[in-house]
Amino acid sequence: MAKTLQAVRGMNDILPAESSAWQYLEDTLRDVVHAYGYSEIRLPLLEKTELFKRSIGEVTDIVEKEMYTFDDRNGDSLTLRPEGTASCVRACLQHGLLHNQVQRLWYMGPMFRHERPQKGRYRQFHQVGVESFGIPGPDIDAEMIFMTARMWERLGLTGASLQINSLGTPKARADYRNALVDYLQAHADALDEDSTRRLGSNPLRILDSKNPAMQDLIAAAPLLPDYLDEESAEHFSGFCALLDAAGISYEINPRLVRGLDYYSKTVFEWVTDQLGAQGTICAGGRYDGLVEYLGGKAIPAFGFALGLERLLAMLMSADAELPANEPHLYMVVSGAAATEHGLVLADKLRDAVPGLRLQVNCGGGSFKSQFKRADRCGADFALVIGDEEVAQKTAVLKPLRSNADQETVTQTALATRLGKLLSGKLDG
Ligand code: HAM
């Protein structure tokens, strides 16, 4: 027999048993962003390669090593999006969404990075991203943090902690970069291969190195906050004051630099030690220069994205009680007349009992096999219709998860009876 084909490494199927947890997570996050007045924007999965090279930065890991890039049939270089911010800015510019107006937008969907797959790190993964345009002050930076804190609260997640930093204006960053390069060059013999390569291209990323042999060198390096310009320092202290006023705890991490080039001023990450090596569940910051860099006016912007696989892993390890989406009711139908009658009755019940999930047996089968299916699908009750029930306009309601007696109910009374039996379990 031929070997069955497998999915691409690092790209996961989300199976029916997992999809209700995904829906719960997506619905909860959608509720929170809507509560803050953000509107959804839906963006293509493919963009011109140029867009990511220009916005994320030519010498970042993502652009250098991780993009799924190919030429299409016209010979145009396209890339599966590794993140959503660049596409969001592109779409706003293309459709004139930033003309004299503020935008608060969010998106959700798969992103693609050719990283080495491991727990919490995949080649196709899912983000919820939130972006704002046209708001310069630290109020929006703080509001986004409030929003993320509310997300964790709504999901019942504890164990995420907030790290913040300011990267300053491009000028402050350039001054810092020079000081850092001087320092690192003076210790060139202590640099590992990766860091030596980055020294000329992206020295700030050396601070992110996880190599234990480099940690002493990094600990003694000049610190970015010492080079912060006045405007960025003021912005950052305004941001911290708003977090303090709301009672949100945070740690200032002067070595937090982020892996994408477009950031300036505030950056942040929510991290947890519950997930092993891939502990960043949410990250973002201010990117005041990107809109202009991609051809628009100088418009300030702030945003973040969170990783749904990582959040879901946290939810699972917290043993959170997640809503199920199994049917409440499985209709067992015996004979052609019962099938004909049952299909129509089922739709009447779906209308009459809002939130009811009712699966009708299709494809025939003996009583025994139909009850087996009823049990397997997770329903609480079986609703049995045979010739006699069709003639009498009744149905037999049989509990599947308790020893309670079955009951015969007239079809006109069924909706009320089901509403009562399933109270607290119906959706919506
Ligand atoms: P990022 O830090 O590259 O930022 O990704 C954000 C989050 O996506 C990470 O914190 C992580 O939870 C998740 N993530 C990233 N890569 C993977 C992966 N290979 N597997 C699973 N999860 C992953 C951005 O993407 C920026 N666009 C965020 C942003 C929006 N900044 C401003 N606006």
Side-chain angles (χ1 to χ4, degrees), residues 93-317:
L93 288 174
Q94 184 174 336
H95 301 286
L97 300 188
L98 304 179
H99 284 320
N100 303 320
Q101 52 187 324
V102 161
Q103 288 291 348
R104 290 160 121 137
L105 304 170
W106 71 277
Y107 49 83
M108 169 155 61
M111 308 290 161
F112 304 85
R113 296 184 193 175
H114 195 275
E115 295 188 79
R116 199 165 48 78
Q118 56 172 263
K119 185 171 168 279
R121 188 164 73 193
Y122 308 102
R123 291 181 171 172
Q124 175 176 326
F125 60 98
H126 297 78
Q127 284 186 344
V128 164
V130 182
E131 316 284 358
S132 74
F133 298 97
I135 309 173
D139 47 359
I140 190 77
D141 308 19
E143 186 193 60
M144 292 246 193
I145 300 291
F146 292 8
M147 189 195 293
T148 50
R150 184 173 291 254
M151 287 170 174
W152 317 150
E153 193 186 308
R154 282 282 308 275
L155 293 167
L157 295 179
T158 51
S161 57
L162 175 63
Q163 302 210 339
I164 61 174
N165 192 20
S166 176
L167 300 182
T169 57
K171 159 92 175 66
R173 232 165 118 181
D175 291 347
Y176 173 65
R177 188 190 144 114
N178 290 339
L180 185 65
V181 169
D182 287 348
Y183 166 81
L184 292 171
Q185 264 166 352
H187 298 85
D189 47 342
L191 295 177
D192 62 13
E193 200 187 315
D194 228 19
S195 305
T196 307
R197 191 174 52 82
R198 282 183 167 145
L199 189 59
S201 54
N202 200 351
L204 265 65
R205 290 287 288 163
I206 297 177
L207 301 176
D208 250 4
S209 166
K210 306 281 180 286
N211 182 353
M214 297 269 303
Q215 296 312 307
D216 285 348
L217 186 71
I218 290 170
L223 288 177
L224 208 157
D226 295 336
Y227 290 79
L228 219 52
D229 52 288
E230 204 175 311
E231 182 198 330
S232 301
E234 219 170 86
H235 187 105
F236 193 59
S237 63
F239 170 59
C240 293
L242 289 166
L243 297 184
D244 291 337
I248 292 182
S249 20
Y250 55 87
E251 184 197 330
I252 298 176
N253 175 356
R255 289 188 183 80
L256 181 67
V257 291
R258 307 279 299 124
L260 304 91
D261 275 359
Y262 49 61
Y263 294 107
S264 56
K265 294 188 179 158
T266 316
V267 289
F268 74 94
E269 289 190 357
W270 282 98
V271 293
T272 177
D273 54 16
Q274 293 170 8
L275 298 178
Q278 304 306 319
T280 307
I281 53 170
C282 171
R286 184 160 279 283
Y287 51 100
D288 288 346
L290 185 60
V291 176
E292 189 179 19
Y293 190 60
L294 291 180
K297 288 196 177 141
I299 289 172
F302 189 96
F304 69 85
L306 50 81
L308 291 182
E309 282 80 0
R310 294 184 190 176
L311 271 187
L312 205 64
M314 263 184 103
L315 268 181
M316 295 306 183
S317 68

